[in-house]
Amino acid sequence: DDIIDYLTDNISADITLDFLAEKFFINKYYMCHTFKKQTGITIKEFMNYIYVEKSYSKAFLKNILKV
């Protein structure tokens, strides 16, 4: 949950797997394996999903505010 929260809040930052592992004091490979096991997707897939979701939300809000 901590990694998901961090990624969601900081998706616009340049985040690497090495950085996440150091930040959360966990082995990078164990972190990736555990994340995939718990969520069903990789960390990179989750990051892409959040990035697209936030981009879509911003574009949607801009269109609404223009009306």
Side-chain angles (χ1 to χ4, degrees):
D1 288 339
D2 291 339
I3 292 173
I4 289 174
D5 290 341
Y6 182 82
L7 290 172
T8 303
D9 293 341
N10 298 285
I11 196 63
S12 60
D14 186 24
I15 300 170
T16 64
L17 294 177
D18 290 324
F19 172 80
L20 283 176
E22 287 179 26
K23 177 161 183 59
F24 291 98
F25 306 103
I26 189 170
N27 178 281
K28 175 173 69 172
Y29 302 103
Y30 179 75
M31 175 185 69
C32 291
H33 175 76
T34 303
F35 190 93
K36 170 85 176 196
K37 187 175 179 181
Q38 290 180 350
T39 64
I41 60 174
T42 66
I43 292 174
K44 199 65 165 167
E45 289 171 328
F46 179 77
M47 290 172 68
N48 289 338
Y49 172 78
I50 294 300
Y51 183 77
V52 168
E53 181 182 282
K54 287 199 175 201
S55 297
Y56 178 77
S57 295
K58 286 179 185 178
F60 182 74
L61 286 174
K62 284 181 183 179
N63 285 335
I64 289 176
L65 295 175
K66 286 182 182 180
V67 174

